Amino acid sequence: MKTSDFYYELPEELIAQTPVEPRDHSRMLVVHRAGGVLEHRHFYDITDYLNPGDVLVVNNTRVIPARLIGERAGGGAAEVLLLKQLGPKRWETLVRPGRRLKPGAEVSFGGGKLTARMVDTTDAGGRIVDFFCEGTLEAMLDELGEMPLPPYIHEKLADRDRYQTVYARYDGSAAAPTAGLHFTQALLEKIRAMGVQIVPVLLHVGLGTFRPVKVEDVEEHEMHSEYYEVTPEAAEAVNAARAAGGRVFAVGTTSVRTLESAAGEDGVLRAQSGWTNIFITPGYRFKMVDALITNFHLPESTLVMLVSAFYSREGTLAAYEEAVRQKYRFFSFGDAMLLL
């Protein structure tokens, strides 16, 4: 299986730069996997596809303002992007300009309110960084940090909460679980009123999710690890729904990866936590997910491969080509796809 097998043509003007308001007014391409039928709907129509007894599994991670712009000790601008927390004030990061930020180099932010010292270099070319400030680093990030929008979004975000889901709760992500950005509180209440249970799980999204696959042989790609949690309450709710004939709707690829990481071969969801580097590609047998709500993803990305595993490579690419023809909006602030 080749990376190039998952390529599709995308005009740049279809990459969404700003979010739709209200959130649930995005368009939604509905894919009926059994027959390949496509429907063009809006996200608020999601209730037409849910039944009482189903469960909607959401990722309640919260994006931290992980992008810091500062000044190098010797002069000149620098950028530090937080990826993975290693200690109270130690993080794995990406830095720019990397050639000038060797171990021992320092960067200051906010006129010296916060300082970063490069400690070591990671295998992926990033930096292990120690931060120094009065009080907590979290408070400094709230004051000085910016939302880590993907590089294909060039517009400034007026409201940083627009890059959070309405159910975001636990800090730790370097990027949003974007399928969840379409939900409003009113829509969630309507779904609950239908008899659909909304079940939160947790996966802190790392930027590795969005990094391009740089090898032609898909099996040679090394997947990044991300922290996840499934609580006993979440496992009990999902297992009970499945036992009663309900379906599991996963909101986003991060919810899929969490559920499938914690699922046993017997199809029972386990309450557990840890780090997952699960890489889902065509041929994978899903143990837990019956329907997938997702956004449109970058060509040749691991996310397109996951969607192709859930449907088929040919069907997924055909759906993407239809979305291009119909001028759907792509990526983080784009439109949605529901696969049933």
Side-chain angles (χ1 to χ4, degrees):
M1 191 161 41
K2 297 180 179 180
T3 301
S4 56
D5 291 337
F6 300 90
Y7 179 79
Y8 67 92
E9 290 280 352
L10 177 66
E12 188 172 349
E13 62 267 21
L14 295 185
I15 300 174
Q17 296 297 315
T18 56
V20 167
E21 295 293 348
R23 290 172 180 254
D24 60 359
H25 279 52
S26 295
R27 297 170 71 191
M28 181 173 67
L29 179 64
V30 181
V31 179
H32 296 268
R33 292 182 293 156
V37 175
L38 304 179
E39 295 182 77
H40 301 288
R41 305 292 297 272
H42 286 89
F43 196 80
Y44 49 72
D45 296 321
I46 193 77
T47 51
D48 291 347
Y49 302 94
L50 290 160
N51 297 325
D54 291 340
V55 290
L56 188 73
V57 178
V58 301
N59 179 9
N60 63 359
T61 188
R62 185 172 179 82
V63 185
I64 60 174
R67 184 171 179 253
L68 290 163
I69 307 297
E71 185 175 334
R72 302 195 308 272
E79 178 179 337
V80 178
L81 183 63
L82 282 61
L83 296 182
K84 182 189 295 185
Q85 188 168 15
L86 305 176
K89 293 183 179 178
R90 173 170 285 197
W91 280 76
E92 178 184 338
T93 71
L94 294 176
V95 301
R96 291 195 303 180
R99 67 185 183 281
R100 296 187 179 275
L101 294 174
K102 306 296 185 185
E106 293 190 353
V107 180
S108 64
F109 311 93
K113 289 183 179 180
L114 176 65
T115 302
R117 180 179 299 151
M118 310 297 125
V119 175
D120 201 357
T121 301
T122 68
D123 292 340
R127 299 288 185 273
I128 305 300
V129 171
D130 281 343
F131 289 94
F132 302 90
C133 62
E134 291 187 7
T136 66
L137 179 58
E138 289 75 17
M140 281 291 100
L141 291 176
D142 282 339
E143 180 180 347
L144 302 174
E146 299 179 7
M147 279 301 191
L149 295 179
Y152 47 73
I153 294 178
H154 309 299
E155 296 290 330
K156 193 79 171 178
L157 188 61
D159 178 7
R160 66 164 59 176
D161 283 342
R162 197 55 184 82
Y163 195 56
Q164 303 279 18
T165 63
V166 296
Y167 46 75
R169 184 171 179 185
Y170 298 106
D171 286 347
S173 278
T178 55
L181 296 178
H182 302 285
F183 286 96
T184 64
Q185 290 291 4
L187 181 58
L188 291 171
E189 288 303 320
K190 184 177 180 181
I191 290 170
R192 287 190 185 96
M194 295 174 58
V196 175
Q197 189 170 357
I198 298 171
V199 177
V201 296
L202 176 71
L203 184 138
H204 288 322
V205 187
L207 288 183
T209 299
F210 307 102
R211 285 177 177 162
V213 179
K214 295 183 178 179
V215 292
E216 180 59 7
D217 185 345
V218 170
E219 293 182 1
E220 294 179 2
H221 177 69
E222 290 188 20
M223 198 70 173
H224 61 290
S225 293
E226 296 167 312
Y227 180 78
Y228 75 98
E229 291 181 3
V230 176
T231 65
E233 295 80 9
E236 181 180 357
V238 170
N239 291 330
R242 285 171 59 83
R247 298 169 298 168
V248 175
F249 279 66
V251 179
T253 57
T254 62
S255 294
V256 172
R257 296 180 70 235
T258 303
L259 290 167
E260 295 297 319
S261 295
E265 291 298 327
D266 56 0
V268 175
L269 187 63
R270 267 66 169 178
Q272 61 188 48
S273 63
W275 295 85
T276 181
N277 62 350
I278 188 171
F279 186 18
I280 296 176
T281 57
Y284 178 85
R285 183 178 66 84
F286 286 84
K287 301 182 284 291
M288 196 56 55
V289 178
D290 300 303
L292 171 61
I293 301 167
T294 188
N295 281 21
F296 296 97
H297 305 294
L298 284 164
E300 301 183 331
S301 65
T302 61
L303 304 179
V304 168
M305 295 172 192
L306 185 153
V307 176
S308 296
F310 190 67
Y311 182 17
S312 69
R313 185 186 71 86
E314 296 79 8
T316 297
L317 292 179
Y320 271 59
E321 289 165 1
E322 173 66 7
V324 169
R325 282 193 294 271
Q326 298 296 330
K327 299 190 183 303
Y328 276 70
R329 302 165 76 247
F330 278 65
F331 308 155
S332 296
F333 290 142
D335 296 316
M337 181 161 62
L338 168 62
L339 297 107
L340 294 165

